Structures are given as structure tokens and as C-alpha cells.
Amino acid sequence: GRPLRRMDASRGRPVGGSQWLLGDVRTAHLEADRLRRTSRATWLVDVGGTREGEGDASELTLYALRAAIRELDRNGESSIAQRVHLARRLAAPFACLVLPLIFLLVGADGAGFTRPAPALLVSLAIAGGYTLVSSVADSLGRQGAFAPGLAGWLPLGLALGFLAARLVWLRRIGGR
């Protein structure tokens, strides 16, 4: 029944969910009747019961996510999942601009179709394809098959490639 570990910090701030970024941390850990003391400048902890550095990165601000990545790297733990998430979060605002532009271009000229329904279906297929590529790239990035930056930015890169091809196609059609 006695406590085996104690952690004291001079400051702390919540960074999302049940995660806190602590500063000037001192720990005491009892192992085999020997007291081991450590200190760190910062430490990311989850007061909800999961291991330090784990948790849902979507609740973290970009600053807190970068701090969590630095903390995991400093502790020698893998930060690949957090790095992939950071890359996806940085790419998301650009995707919010590029995807509607693609849908607008597909809908404006009917994608070569005479009725609006096929153009809508093409737009839905593009949205579904983007979601699928995004999920697969995220999974491969978290497994280490892709670099975290590639996993986060690949779906947007493919969308930009589609947009460029679409613009070239429209220019060729319009130039006739």
C-alpha cells in the first residue's frame, strides 16, 4: 500500500484533454527499497491514467503538440504518431482551400458531362478518394513506412496534382 512514485512540479499548464505540460519537475521513485530521484525541465503527463506522452494528440494545440514531440524525443520514446498528426494538422487548412476549388472546377464545367448529377458524383468520388488516401497515408506514416511529413502532406499533394491536371485539361478544351 505505500506510494512507489512521487512527482513534484513548480508549474504546469493544461495542453488538452487530461494532458498537462509540467515545468521544473522532480520525481522520486522507490524500486527495490532504493529511492531514485530525477529532475527534468519539462514533462508531458496524462493525469487520466495513461502513460506519459500518450493520449489523443487532436486535443493538443500546435505548440503543445510540438512540446510533446520534443518531450518524447528527449525521453527516447517514439514520436512518429505525433509527427504524422502534426503534419496532417499543418496540411489541413490548405486542403480546406484546395478541395472546394477542385469541386468548383468540376461543377463549373460539368466535368465533361451534360447533366449536374455526374459532376456531383465525380466530386463525391474525389472527396472519398482524398479521405481514403489520407487514412492510408496516416496509417503508413504511423507504421514508419512513410516519413511523417510525407504521410501528412501526401493527400494534399495528390489533390494539388489533380487540380493542376484539371486546369491543364480545361485550358486545352478552352483553346480549341
Side-chain angles (χ1 to χ4, degrees):
R2 67 181 176 187
L4 300 176
R5 183 176 183 179
R6 177 184 170 118
M7 180 182 296
D8 296 307
S10 64
R11 65 184 184 278
R13 66 179 178 85
V15 292
S18 60
Q19 294 189 332
W20 284 70
L21 187 62
L22 304 177
D24 297 326
V25 181
R26 291 167 308 285
T27 63
H29 185 77
L30 186 62
E31 49 187 36
D33 292 331
R34 190 175 141 223
L35 189 63
R36 186 177 59 130
R37 296 178 188 266
T38 60
S39 62
R40 293 185 184 177
T42 61
W43 198 342
L44 181 70
V45 296
D46 189 326
V47 295
T50 60
R51 205 167 57 93
E52 292 89 359
E54 288 184 349
D56 188 6
S58 64
E59 296 179 1
L60 299 177
T61 64
L62 289 177
Y63 173 79
L65 184 55
R66 286 184 176 119
I69 290 169
R70 282 191 303 272
E71 182 63 27
L72 288 169
D73 289 345
R74 188 177 9 253
N75 293 338
E77 298 179 49
S78 175
S79 63
I80 291 176
Q82 289 79 5
R83 289 178 185 279
V84 169
H85 187 77
L86 177 63
R88 287 186 70 183
R89 295 234 339 239
L90 292 173
F94 298 104
C96 289
L97 296 173
V98 170
L99 290 174
L101 182 60
I102 291 172
F103 302 149
L104 181 66
L105 287 175
V106 168
D109 71 347
F113 303 109
T114 58
R115 306 182 124 201
L120 177 64
L121 289 175
V122 168
S123 294
L124 289 174
I126 292 169
Y130 180 87
T131 303
L132 179 65
V133 168
S134 181
S135 296
V136 169
D138 181 73
S139 178
L140 291 173
R142 289 172 187 266
Q143 293 175 9
F146 283 176
L150 177 63
W153 288 90
L154 177 67
L156 181 63
L158 292 176
L160 284 170
F162 179 86
L163 178 62
R166 185 76 180 152
L167 290 173
V168 167
W169 185 76
L170 287 175
R171 185 174 173 105
R172 285 191 180 161
I173 294 278
R176 287 182 181 178

